[in-house]
Structures are given as structure tokens and as C-alpha cells.
Amino acid sequence: MRAQLEQDFERFKRGLPRDFAAHVRAAYRIDLTGRYAGEPLPHPIGKGSGQLSLNAGQLEEDAAAGLAFVVLKTVIAEDETGAQAMAAWAIHETRMRVERRAASDGRPGWTVTWKGRGWDRTLDEYLALVRAGRDVTRAGGPLVVPSVKYHLPRLDEPFRDAEYRHTTGRLAQAWGAPPLLVEKDFSPTLAGDALADDRAQILRWLREVPGRIRAASPLPVRVAVKLMNARFDDAFQLDMMRAASEADALVCFNRLFDAERGVAYGGWDLSDRNLRVLDRLTPGASPRFPALVGTGNICSGRLMLDYARRGCESVELHSFFQLPLSQYPATHGSRTQRALHALLFAPEDGLIAGMLALAARGELERRDGELHFLDLRAHAHRPG
């Protein structure tokens, strides 16, 4: 299998097979099936919300590359009059800068820096993108998920339910058929906002928002909550996860915040913290706990395995899809295709190599002759 993997790695530099998940299953007896908020995926690799998912052309390119899911750029919720409590987040993005960022221990890594925030066009334009995503999904392409920033009140204020009703209702109408999936974005840049100074305030949001989105939707809806890295200790990250236990999935965790530069960032410090927090999860009293989606500095299949072995059923990437072309071993294809090639087929640190190594050490067992990506959760320190 090592020889097969090296051969595939070389020949797929010019392009991946159209159904590479089927090829992996046939050649390596590995079932790459993942999940996002209960929805099955052909493999676990998706794209997080941002500048790489704000038009139909990007969705079509990702469908051609074979991506499993795409979370759209985050729209700012509004009521029927067009008023937005979180209007300050509808800021036009500056150009993204792909930068080297060393970890605190000196390891070289990458981050992507920009100053913008959410969708800065109209809700009608966003709904047109949602309909395009719906068509891509129903044509057999990646699962497309809208992302929303809803009103987050101060501790002594009520929620603006009119925003929840109007925006969620319009999204449901655009999607058309159940289930509607929504990712609620707790933006990383919120860490630089005074709203995020109060722990009780944050925990209230996380407890109440999933239910408010469900109550606002005319369709059955599954809610994924994208958790920020708060400016508090690791224990508070766990408090946030427990507070959001009514969500269908938790995306753990969005970027760190550099107060000096006023920007969010990624790299090894981000993945180190995320994995450290996930390591601290222990079986709790509640039998129900949201599914986990990993995010943060996922730059190799081995790092995907680190998240999977802590309970994550899929992963969201952003920065790794934007590196200079020289950083990918593939010689042809879009950045999405080249990233998938490296993440899956790299003989030293790709996902296939990592799963085969776990099996060789007796840490992952075959069922009916196959290794299963979702079986990696058995190594996680969490319920189920």
C-alpha cells in the first residue's frame, strides 16, 4: 500500500480522480465518509466561511475539485425593514494577505490576514447565492451551508427576534426543502469587541441562540455553532461548548486575536490551543452532545487526524486553500484540488498514510475489511 500511495501521489499531481473517495475505498479499503451536523459527506474536508465562498463561480470550482462541503460567507441578519443590529459587521473586506506566521515556539506556519467582516451586499443578493448553492448541492456537488451572524444582545437586553424570524425565514424559502442547515458564526474578530468582555453574556448567547434559530425557521433546521476562541482560559472554552449543547454541531474553534495588530490569526498557536482544549473534554452527565467539526491550521492529513481523534467528524479549512502555488506538491488544478491532493495522498503526512499507520499500530481496526474515518472518534475523550 505504501508503494501504491507513492504512485498515486505522483500521478495525481496532474489531477485527482473525479470520485477520489471511491478510489481510496477501492485501492486502500478506507471509507472516508464524514459528517457535518448529521449530514453524511463523501469525505471529511470542507471549506470554512469567508472570502473563498461568496460567489457561484467559487462554488462551481469547488464542486469540480470534489470538496465535501462549503460554508458560505457570513450574512448579517436583518428584520423585515432591513434594519441590522449587527450592521457594524457588514464591512467590505480588504484584500487578503497570505503571510508567514511563526508559532510562539518558532515553528513556521501560515495565516491569512484581512480587515473585513461579514457580507456587505444585500440580503437578496445573498439569497441568490444560497439558491446557487442549493442547486450545486442537489446536483451532487458539495453540501452548501449558509452562515449567519444574528443579533447578540448585552446581558440586560432582549434578543431582536424579528431579525431571527425574517432572515431565517428567507433562508428557508431560498433553500426550499428540509433540512435547512445554518452555521451561526461567533466571529473571531468578536474577541476584539467589547461585547465579548463578559463571560455571562457569551454563555447566554450560546445557550439561547440555537433554540431561537429553530423557532424562527419554517423548515426543520440543523444549527452548527462556530465557536470563537475567547480571550479567557481553556476552561472557559469548555464552558462555551457545554453552554451550546443544544446545537447540532460545534465548529471548534475559530481564530485567535492579536490585540496589538487588531486582527484575527491562525497558524500553529491556533491548532495547539484547539487540540489542547478538545483534549480536556470528558464524558459528561448529558447523553446528548453536539457533533464536532474541527477547524484551525489544518495543513496536513496528520493534523486532520489529530482533530478526528478528539471527536471531530469533519474539518473546515480556509488558509490552506490560499497558499502560494509553490507550497503545494500538485502541479495542476485549482488551489482546492491541490490542497485536497496534499491532504489526502501525501505519503508522509496525508490522511491515507496516517490512517494506515494507525491500523499498523493496532490503534484503528478494520470493520468488514475497511478502515473508517468516523471510527477515529473512538479515541476521543467525549461522550459517544
Side-chain angles (χ1 to χ4, degrees), residues 29-50:
R29 308 305 297 160
I30 293 177
D31 180 355
L32 291 175
T33 299
R35 271 196 296 265
Y36 177 94
E39 284 294 297
L41 305 169
H43 62 84
I45 306 171
K47 179 177 284 185
S49 174

Side-chain angles (χ1 to χ4, degrees), residues 186-236:
F186 284 87
S187 174
T189 49
L190 193 59
D193 190 283
L195 277 173
D197 286 339
D198 190 312
R199 298 186 191 217
Q201 194 162 261
I202 294 171
L203 297 179
R204 178 202 176 194
W205 300 335
L206 293 169
R207 280 192 299 268
E208 296 190 32
V209 162
R212 290 182 180 277
I213 296 172
R214 289 196 187 95
S217 178
L219 291 178
V221 61
R222 294 183 199 156
V223 180
V225 169
K226 190 168 193 177
L227 292 168
M228 60 181 174
N229 265 295
R231 288 179 294 175
F232 305 114
D233 58 14
D234 291 357
F236 187 70

Side-chain angles (χ1 to χ4, degrees), residues 45-371:
I45 306 171
K47 179 177 284 185
S49 174
Q51 289 296 87
L52 304 182
S53 53
L54 50 65
N55 62 60
Q58 291 169 323
L59 298 180
E60 290 162 6
E61 185 177 90
D62 288 338
L67 207 57
F69 68 99
V70 178
V71 183
L72 298 178
K73 178 74 176 172
T74 300
V75 70
I76 310 305
E78 62 183 53
D79 65 20
E80 62 278 1
T81 71
Q84 297 173 313
M86 309 294 281
W89 299 90
I91 294 176
H92 183 70
E93 304 277 352
T94 54
R95 184 176 178 82
M96 292 184 294
R97 292 201 314 275
V98 181
E99 301 175 311
R100 294 275 191 181
R101 184 172 182 118
S104 53
D105 63 5
R107 281 172 295 167
W110 294 92
T111 189
V112 176
T113 304
W114 70 99
K115 294 279 189 168
R117 293 178 174 181
W119 180 266
D120 64 337
R121 286 169 262 167
T122 67
L123 179 58
D124 284 339
E125 289 174 287
Y126 191 81
L127 296 171
L129 179 61
V130 171
R131 287 189 289 271
R134 172 201 65 193
D135 294 344
V136 165
T137 298
R138 292 177 187 170
L143 174 68
V144 176
V145 181
S147 172
V148 188
K149 180 177 288 299
Y150 294 93
H151 173 234
L152 298 175
R154 298 191 180 279
L155 196 56
D156 58 351
E157 294 175 346
F159 281 86
R160 297 194 184 183
D161 288 322
E163 288 193 2
Y164 284 75
R165 285 194 302 271
H166 180 71
T167 303
T168 311
R170 295 290 304 277
L171 288 172
Q173 184 181 36
W175 193 257
L180 171 68
L181 272 68
V182 173
E183 186 167 290
K184 168 63 184 89
D185 180 20
F186 284 87
S187 174
T189 49
L190 193 59
D193 190 283
L195 277 173
D197 286 339
D198 190 312
R199 298 186 191 217
Q201 194 162 261
I202 294 171
L203 297 179
R204 178 202 176 194
W205 300 335
L206 293 169
R207 280 192 299 268
E208 296 190 32
V209 162
R212 290 182 180 277
I213 296 172
R214 289 196 187 95
S217 178
L219 291 178
V221 61
R222 294 183 199 156
V223 180
V225 169
K226 190 168 193 177
L227 292 168
M228 60 181 174
N229 265 295
R231 288 179 294 175
F232 305 114
D233 58 14
D234 291 357
F236 187 70
Q237 293 298 114
L238 296 174
D239 290 342
M240 290 198 301
M241 296 181 76
R242 297 185 191 104
S245 63
E246 291 304 309
D248 295 285
L250 302 179
V251 184
C252 306
F253 300 95
N254 215 333
R255 303 199 300 162
L256 300 171
F257 190 74
D258 185 332
E260 229 173 82
R261 295 182 60 194
V263 295
Y265 69 95
W268 289 105
D269 288 340
L270 172 60
S271 55
D272 286 351
R273 188 191 198 203
N274 289 357
L275 295 171
R276 184 176 70 239
V277 170
L278 292 174
D279 256 339
R280 292 183 59 178
L281 283 177
T282 54
S286 172
R288 184 189 183 279
F289 195 81
L292 301 182
V293 179
T295 192
N297 190 42
I298 298 170
C299 53
S300 71
R302 299 268 181 181
L303 204 49
M304 284 176 56
L305 288 174
D306 287 338
Y307 279 96
R309 298 184 82 192
R310 289 161 176 83
C312 296
E313 299 181 336
S314 56
V315 292
E316 290 183 10
L317 289 71
H318 197 264
S319 296
F320 195 65
F321 292 130
Q322 300 179 73
L323 302 186
L325 292 179
S326 61
Q327 298 300 306
Y328 302 108
T331 56
H332 293 70
S334 66
R335 278 182 168 80
T336 302
Q337 289 174 312
R338 296 180 193 218
L340 288 169
H341 167 260
L343 293 168
L344 291 166
F345 290 98
E348 298 302 326
D349 62 2
L351 181 60
I352 297 168
M355 290 183 68
L356 291 174
L358 290 175
R361 297 198 299 266
E363 296 178 37
L364 183 62
E365 296 182 0
R366 293 185 183 270
R367 288 190 290 110
D368 301 322
E370 292 184 332
L371 301 174

Side-chain angles (χ1 to χ4, degrees), residues 12 16-26 32 42-43 64-66 344-345:
F12 294 157
L16 291 173
R18 183 166 182 83
D19 188 349
F20 56 79
H23 170 81
V24 170
R25 193 165 194 168
L32 291 175
H43 62 84
L344 291 166
F345 290 98

